[in-house]
């Protein structure tokens, strides 16, 4: 039996790691895949990492459009934080 809770109030998290990076989980996955590709000395795995990066990049574009609709303050947050890295 699945139990469903309706969320009545959502908050935009802007502290912790989210202060610097908007998508830290994607960043962690990209860095993990890249590190594994380097350690295993595999050009094929580096290529897979690049494809993963592109997938996440385009996925975040879609997600951020939805977040702007839900949180008007997201545009300002977006201007002071990086997508995957603090400098991006």
């Amino acid at each position: 039996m699945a139990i469903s809770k309706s969320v009545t109030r959502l908050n935009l998290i802007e502290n912790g790691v989210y202060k610097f990076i908007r998508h830290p989980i994607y960043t962690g996955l990209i860095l993990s895949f890249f590190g594994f590709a380097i350690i295993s000395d595999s050009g094929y795995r580096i290529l897979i990492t690049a494809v993963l990066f592109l997938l996440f990049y385009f996925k975040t574009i879609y997600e951020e459009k939805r977040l702007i609709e839900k949180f008007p303050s997201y545009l300002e947050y977006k201007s002071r934080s990086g997508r995957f890295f603090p400098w991006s």
Side-chain angles (χ1 to χ4, degrees):
M1 172 192 262
I3 298 174
S4 174
K5 287 185 178 180
S6 64
V7 178
T8 57
R9 183 175 171 190
L10 298 174
N11 295 321
L12 181 62
I13 306 297
E14 298 181 45
N15 55 5
V17 71
Y18 292 97
K19 182 176 182 177
F20 307 103
I21 302 172
R22 295 190 306 272
H23 304 282
I25 293 174
Y26 296 158
T27 301
L29 288 169
I30 291 166
L31 292 175
S32 296
F33 273 73
F34 184 70
F36 182 66
I38 295 298
I39 288 171
S40 62
D41 195 29
S42 172
Y44 174 73
R45 288 185 177 127
I46 290 175
L47 179 63
I48 295 297
T49 303
V51 170
L52 182 69
F53 178 83
L54 288 173
L55 173 76
F56 285 157
Y57 178 80
F58 289 110
K59 187 174 188 297
T60 59
I61 290 173
Y62 170 77
E63 290 175 351
E64 289 184 345
K65 285 179 186 176
R66 303 290 306 268
L67 287 165
I68 290 167
E69 293 171 5
K70 184 72 178 173
F71 303 103
S73 64
Y74 193 83
L75 279 174
E76 194 261 322
Y77 167 63
K78 186 177 172 182
S79 71
R80 57 185 158 79
S81 61
R83 183 183 308 264
F84 299 121
F85 303 100
W87 57 85
S88 63

